[in-house]
């Protein structure tokens, strides 16, 4: 098998795995109205702890564990682990008799999310960057877009099946689909040799490519800069805005009188259009720059949140919901900001160590916090509008933090 064929198989396998793993973990909001009907005494924010703990696990895996594991374990092996975890995730949901079981399932789902999305997808194709050549950014964008496609597909289909099959049976069907997708990915992604970590090999690698020749900051140097923490906060806050809306949007629409299947379709439309915007964001960044990308990501999303808060209730129509959802699709482009802003601010010396902290830590950390920050506002005030308003304000603060980070760029100070 030549390198070109291996590269294609790696990209296809990564796309299939991300489609399944992100799709599975994007369905919580679709099932939330069913969970509330099953355990009405629990309260929406308490049930949302399942998403909070799940995203917290994704945060831990993405930030601290996946990187070290990839030094000793091939991506295809980790996708196999994802298949096993997804079995437990779906079975626990099927047999759940209390909210605490949903939280346990969320922990398994978060582990699958951390292992099987974003950084893992890029890790599967990164050994073949030379084969992709100038198409490498496009390949990465397509791989990430496959995760958004999974989120869209899993928003439409389970939402349509729940009324006829019941939510527990839908979880069983999802489990089968997810396991098959991960196993297909394992079969497609070529085996790669895990680099040896002996002192001699490390010394030879250092001699062949000394770190000093690569411009940029090390991870320890980056951690000491204000720009690093401003980016972390910026991505965290933008994610709280995006995920805060996504978590409660379907429940909000059902309280406004929409059926669960139609409300789920609104989120599916948002995720589906989001694929286009993720690809568009990757293509536009060369023309509009990172500042333009930040505005492109945050402003329409904030406007969409506010429209849902104040305009939609007075005009409860599917058309208005679609308009709001389409505006909010730019939230998916947050994933493009991380790999774009990292080399600009910190160079390429420790890119593979710095970027996962932003894409994994800040993104999934924001997802973990969003369900509680926005949920507690909704529960405390009894108003979805207040929750969406708080989300929009937090997102705007996140945009400001990113602009401040660019103004304090460490690479500018190094004269790079």
């Amino acid at each position: 098998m030549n390198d070109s064929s291996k590269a294609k198989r790696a990209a296809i396998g990564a796309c299939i795995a991300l489609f399944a793993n992100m799709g599975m973990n994007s369905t919580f909001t679709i099932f939330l109205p069913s969970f509330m009907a099953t355990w009405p005494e629990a309260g929406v924010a308490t049930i949302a702890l399942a998403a909070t703990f799940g995203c917290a696990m994704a945060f831990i895996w993405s930030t601290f564990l996946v990187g070290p594991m990839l030094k000793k374990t091939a991506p295809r092996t980790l996708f196999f682990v994802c298949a096993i975890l997804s079995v437990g995730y779906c079975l626990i949901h099927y047999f759940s008799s209390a909210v605490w079981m949903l939280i346990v399932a969320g922990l398994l789902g978060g582990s699958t999310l951390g292992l099987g999305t974003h950084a893992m997808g890029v890790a599967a194709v990164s050994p073949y960057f030379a084969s992709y050549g100038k198409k490498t950014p496009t390949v990465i964008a397509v791989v990430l877009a496959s995760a958004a496609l999974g989120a869209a597909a899993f928003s439409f289909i389970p939402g349509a099946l729940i009324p006829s099959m019941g939510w527990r049976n839908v979880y069983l069907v999802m489990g089968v689909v997810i396991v098959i997708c991960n196993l297909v990915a394992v079969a497609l992604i070529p085996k790669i040799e895990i680099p040896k970590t002996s002192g001699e090999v490390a010394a030879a690698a250092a001699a062949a490519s000394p770190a000093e020749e690569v411009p940029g900051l090390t991870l320890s140097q980056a951690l000491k800069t204000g720009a690093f923490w401003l980016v972390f906060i910026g991505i965290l806050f933008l994610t709280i805005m995006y995920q805060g809306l996504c978590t409660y949007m379907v429940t909000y629409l059902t309280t406004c009188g929409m059926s669960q299947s139609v409300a789920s379709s609104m989120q599916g439309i948002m995720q589906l259009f989001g694929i286009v915007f993720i690809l568009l964001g990757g293509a536009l960044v060369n023309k509009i720059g990172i500042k333009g990308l930040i505005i492109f990501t945050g402003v329409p999303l904030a406007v969409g949140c506010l429209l849902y808060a104040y305009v939609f209730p007075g005009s409860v129509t599917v058309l208005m919901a679609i308009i709001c959802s389409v505006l909010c699709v730019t939230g998916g482009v947050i994933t493009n900001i991380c790999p774009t802003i990292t080399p600009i601010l910190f160079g390429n010396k420790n890119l593979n160590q710095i970027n996962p902290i932003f894409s994994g830590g800040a993104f999934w950390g924001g997802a973990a916090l969003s369900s509680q920050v926005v949920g507690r506002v909704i529960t405390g005030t009894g108003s979805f509008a207040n929750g969406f308003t708080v989300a929009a304000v937090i997102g705007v603060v996140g945009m400001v933090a990113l602009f401040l980070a660019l103004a304090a760029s460490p690479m500018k100070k190094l004269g790079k």
Side-chain angles (χ1 to χ4, degrees):
M1 188 186 301
N2 58 41
D3 289 343
S4 177
S5 177
K6 288 182 179 179
K8 289 178 181 178
R9 287 185 57 179
I12 294 171
C15 285
I16 292 172
L18 263 67
F19 173 88
N21 295 321
M22 177 59 85
M24 178 182 78
N25 283 278
S26 68
T27 58
F28 177 81
T29 57
I30 306 302
F31 287 93
L32 185 55
S34 298
F35 295 154
M36 291 176 63
T38 306
W39 295 284
E41 72 286 353
V44 65
T46 300
I47 295 174
L49 283 171
T52 301
F53 281 98
C55 291
M57 283 300 293
F59 167 87
I60 293 169
W61 279 100
S62 300
T63 308
F64 304 110
L65 301 177
V66 172
M69 288 179 72
L70 284 170
K71 293 179 180 179
K72 300 181 179 180
T73 310
R76 68 199 303 268
T77 304
L78 297 187
F79 286 135
F80 181 75
V81 174
C82 287
I84 297 172
L85 290 171
S86 64
V87 172
Y89 175 84
C90 291
L91 286 178
I92 291 175
H93 274 100
Y94 179 79
F95 290 108
S96 59
S97 58
V99 172
W100 69 264
M101 295 183 73
L102 300 182
I103 295 173
V104 172
L107 294 174
L108 290 181
S111 298
T112 306
L113 198 62
L115 279 171
T117 57
H118 295 300
M120 270 294 297
V122 176
V125 299
S126 60
Y128 308 100
F129 280 175
S131 298
Y132 301 130
K134 293 181 179 179
K135 294 181 179 179
T136 298
T138 302
V139 171
I140 293 175
V142 169
V143 169
L144 295 178
S146 69
L149 179 60
F154 279 70
S155 294
F156 282 111
I157 299 172
L161 293 177
I162 288 172
S164 58
M165 292 181 62
W167 64 269
R168 296 181 188 273
N169 290 326
V170 173
Y171 265 109
L172 288 183
V173 174
M174 283 201 321
V176 173
V177 172
I178 294 153
V179 169
I180 290 174
C181 286
N182 276 293
L183 292 179
V184 169
V186 170
L188 282 173
I189 297 172
K191 290 183 179 180
I192 57 172
E193 268 191 48
I194 304 301
K196 297 180 180 179
T197 57
S198 67
E200 292 180 4
V201 174
S209 180
E212 289 75 18
E213 293 181 3
V214 181
L217 281 69
T218 64
L219 175 59
S220 60
Q221 291 172 330
L223 288 170
K224 297 176 183 177
T225 66
F228 178 92
W229 297 107
L230 284 168
V231 172
F232 190 93
I233 290 170
I235 300 298
L236 186 81
F237 281 16
L238 279 174
T239 306
I240 288 175
M241 173 168 64
Y242 180 54
Q243 296 292 346
L245 174 68
C246 290
T247 300
Y248 296 104
M249 186 175 74
V250 174
T251 305
Y252 172 56
L253 293 176
T254 56
T255 60
C256 290
M258 283 189 180
S259 68
Q260 189 169 352
S261 59
V262 174
S264 300
S265 297
M266 294 305 103
Q267 180 166 304
I269 289 169
M270 185 169 73
Q271 301 286 6
L272 200 57
F273 275 91
I275 299 167
V276 177
F277 278 79
I278 290 172
L279 294 171
L280 188 60
L284 280 177
V285 69
N286 291 329
K287 296 183 178 180
I288 64 177
I290 184 61
K291 292 181 179 179
L293 186 66
I294 293 168
I295 294 172
F296 175 76
T297 303
V299 171
L301 175 57
V303 171
C305 284
L306 293 175
L307 285 177
Y308 258 129
Y310 298 107
V311 178
F312 176 77
S315 176
V316 184
T317 63
V318 171
L319 178 60
M320 188 64 215
I322 291 175
I323 292 172
C324 295
S325 297
V326 170
L327 279 170
C328 295
V329 298
T330 58
V333 185
I334 296 169
T335 57
N336 295 65
I337 294 176
C338 299
T340 304
I341 201 170
T342 303
I344 292 173
L345 294 179
F346 308 105
N348 294 312
K349 182 178 287 188
N350 276 182
L351 180 64
N352 289 334
Q353 295 180 46
I354 297 172
N355 187 59
I357 296 177
F358 294 145
S359 61
F363 187 79
W364 294 121
L369 289 172
S370 63
S371 60
Q372 291 306 301
V373 171
V374 178
R376 294 299 170 184
V377 172
I378 293 171
T379 302
T381 65
S383 168
F384 281 92
N386 289 341
F388 294 156
T389 301
V390 168
V393 171
I394 289 173
V396 172
V397 173
M399 292 173 59
V400 172
L402 290 175
F403 283 121
L404 291 175
L406 289 168
S409 171
M411 292 299 286
K412 287 181 180 179
K413 295 177 181 179
L414 291 174
K416 302 293 184 182

